[in-house]
Amino acid sequence: QVQLQESGPGPVKPSETLSLTCTVSGGSISSNYWSWIRQPPGKGLEWIGYIFYSGSTDYNPSLKSRVTMLVDTSKNQFSLRLSSVTAADTAVYYCARVNDSGNYIDCWGQGTLVAVSS
Amino acid sequence: DIGMTQSPDSLAVSLGERATINCKSSQSVLYSSNNKNYLAWYQQRPGQAPKLLVYWASTRESGVPDRFSGSGSGTDFTLTISSLQAEDVAVYYCQQYYSTPFTFGPGTKVDIK
């Protein structure tokens, strides 16, 4: 049973870069696409983008200029970097697995709240 | 981007009664080459991550109770809970995965009446 766990350094100041890592356990990262999705407090879900284990990516155009996703197959991890953050980026960030037969999300991490505040 | 809407925003249903949630996409998510609708439903209980319920618009994920069913095609979809249980209190989201950026509906909150 694949499990995903987000980790990160905690609160971020405005204009700085948000960095999160997702560790995949119970399965190999070297298959499937892997995704990041976020949810501002009390609001709905926003797809940030996904990355294949080979490193190819697809980002939401609304965030594309600020987003970088990377994968580290040796550690079974993938990561998210979001630059120039503002309070609008405060959200619970989920890492997730994209099903290999269709691009729906079939496994989610528990999520981590990232607050952007000075 | 494909826009997703859901109705109602919220509903309250008595235990054991039927709950129906509607989802509409701004363009068809039916892929003609394989006749599949690229539409999923997720359940998000309070304080938890979303959980996949249904994919390909009507295929129930393994382990999901059969009181949950998805239907529809093209641009109009429905999630039905045939007999509401207390553990079904949650927000339900539809999502299209036909084209990127993948987009979610705004959610429908289901409560017990």
Side-chain angles (χ1 to χ4, degrees):
Chain A
Q1 180 80 357
V2 169
Q3 292 186 311
L4 298 90
Q5 179 67 60
E6 305 87 353
S7 60
V12 183
K13 290 183 168 55
S15 79
E16 294 187 343
T17 296
L18 177 160
S19 296
L20 294 172
T21 298
C22 183
T23 301
V24 179
S25 59
S28 173
I29 201 170
S30 297
S31 62
N32 297 91
Y33 282 82
W34 303 89
S35 187
W36 290 95
I37 295 152
R38 70 180 184 177
Q39 184 173 37
K43 296 189 177 180
L45 300 162
E46 180 181 29
W47 181 76
I48 299 171
Y50 62 45
I51 184 166
F52 195 46
Y53 74 92
S54 63
S56 63
T57 57
D58 194 343
Y59 301 145
N60 192 324
S62 67
L63 298 167
K64 188 173 183 176
S65 63
R66 300 193 291 131
V67 170
T68 303
M69 294 183 188
L70 298 172
V71 63
D72 186 337
T73 55
S74 68
K75 295 181 179 179
N76 234 33
Q77 294 176 334
F78 62 104
S79 62
L80 168 70
R81 289 170 56 87
L82 181 65
S83 64
S84 305
V85 298
T86 69
D89 295 309
T90 293
V92 174
Y93 286 77
Y94 295 100
C95 62
R97 184 180 72 177
V98 180
N99 186 273
D100 56 6
S101 67
N103 288 324
Y104 53 90
I105 302 296
D106 66 5
C107 186
W108 298 70
Q110 67 183 27
T112 187
L113 175 63
V114 179
V116 178
S117 174
S118 54
Chain B
D1 299 7
I2 297 178
M4 306 296 292
T5 58
Q6 289 182 232
S7 63
D9 294 336
S10 64
L11 75 162
V13 176
S14 300
L15 289 172
E17 296 300 305
R18 178 185 300 263
T20 302
I21 301 167
N22 301 301
C23 172
K24 191 174 183 68
S25 56
S26 62
Q27 64 188 74
S28 176
V29 298
L30 174 62
Y31 194 40
S32 55
S33 66
N34 60 10
N35 200 37
K36 287 187 173 183
N37 287 283
Y38 284 58
L39 190 285
W41 288 96
Y42 302 90
Q43 175 194 62
Q44 187 175 34
R45 291 178 173 137
Q48 295 186 15
K51 170 191 169 185
L52 176 66
L53 294 178
V54 169
Y55 55 95
W56 300 130
S58 61
T59 302
R60 199 180 304 115
E61 171 72 332
S62 174
V64 172
D66 61 7
R67 63 180 180 273
F68 291 93
S69 63
S71 62
S73 185
T75 61
D76 292 279
F77 302 90
T78 300
L79 177 71
T80 301
I81 310 172
S82 61
S83 175
L84 192 76
Q85 304 299 304
E87 61 265 31
D88 300 335
V89 168
V91 178
Y92 293 83
Y93 295 94
C94 60
Q95 181 221 354
Q96 66 81 18
Y97 49 97
Y98 181 90
S99 66
T100 61
F102 303 139
T103 46
F104 295 86
T108 295
K109 185 177 182 181
V110 174
D111 269 320
I112 305 296
K113 184 186 291 184

